[in-house]
Amino acid sequence: MLRRPVALVTAVVLFCEAVGIALLNWSLGTLVDRQQMSLAGLEPAKMSASSKIGGLVFGLYFLLCGIAALAVCLRNRPSAGLGRILLISAAVVHAVLGAFAVGLIGWRAFAYMMVVLALIVLTLMTYDRDGARHAAKAPPAAPAPAGPPEEAAPPAGGGSVSAKGAPTTG
């Protein structure tokens, strides 16, 4: 089935995003520090440090999400507990970032975010425990009766219905 390859591709993409986000924020912090840029009177050193710290934290978050997806691939079982929470939160983050990416960056960035979102959702949904459990326990559907359908509601006149379906007054 496609469960393990999808989880593996999801893990690889999340690992690449972790490195990319960390490097992007690190280089932005370095740029701010070297150019002595300031925003609304903030010190460049503080802006640089916060950009680098934020990039590392966000990179570690995506790294943990990638580890959760890799664990799903290697164990061939659905994620549970913290791993499931991480993957769900990563899906939400990619949905929100995709919405912002349309206006700020363009449609290519939106498409990329939606592909990653789809990979994460597929990783979560192909290992759906409850759906498989309910499908295995469900009895086979009974065939529909071949006769005419019975009336379930009384006629509009307010009378009752006899055993043969003819309205009676009373």
Side-chain angles (χ1 to χ4, degrees):
M1 190 95 190
L2 290 175
R3 295 186 302 188
R4 291 182 93 172
V6 167
L8 181 63
V9 169
T10 303
V12 169
V13 167
L14 288 172
F15 289 145
C16 290
E17 278 190 347
V19 171
I21 286 290
L23 287 177
L24 175 69
N25 281 317
W26 192 271
S27 32
L28 286 175
T30 304
L31 178 73
V32 165
D33 193 30
R34 288 186 181 164
Q35 295 293 324
Q36 293 297 312
M37 294 178 179
S38 177
L39 179 66
L42 293 174
E43 295 178 20
K46 288 182 181 177
M47 288 178 53
S48 172
S50 63
S51 176
K52 291 176 181 178
I53 291 170
L56 289 177
V57 168
F58 209 46
L60 287 175
Y61 166 71
F62 277 136
L63 184 68
L64 287 174
C65 294
I67 290 171
L70 186 62
V72 168
C73 173
L74 295 177
R75 291 182 309 158
N76 200 21
R77 290 191 330 215
S79 61
L82 181 63
R84 189 163 186 86
I85 291 170
L86 282 170
L87 288 175
I88 290 171
S89 67
V92 171
V93 165
H94 280 86
V96 171
L97 287 177
F100 283 124
V102 171
L104 297 175
I105 301 170
W107 287 102
R108 287 184 185 171
F110 172 77
Y112 172 78
M113 289 295 165
M114 293 304 107
V115 167
V116 177
L117 173 65
L119 285 171
I120 295 170
V121 170
L122 275 173
T123 300
L124 287 167
M125 297 302 292
T126 55
Y127 286 97
D128 186 19
R129 290 179 284 184
D130 294 331
R133 191 178 305 144
H134 290 304
K137 290 183 180 180
E150 297 180 18
E151 279 190 49
S160 62
V161 178
S162 68
K164 294 190 177 197
T168 59
T169 56

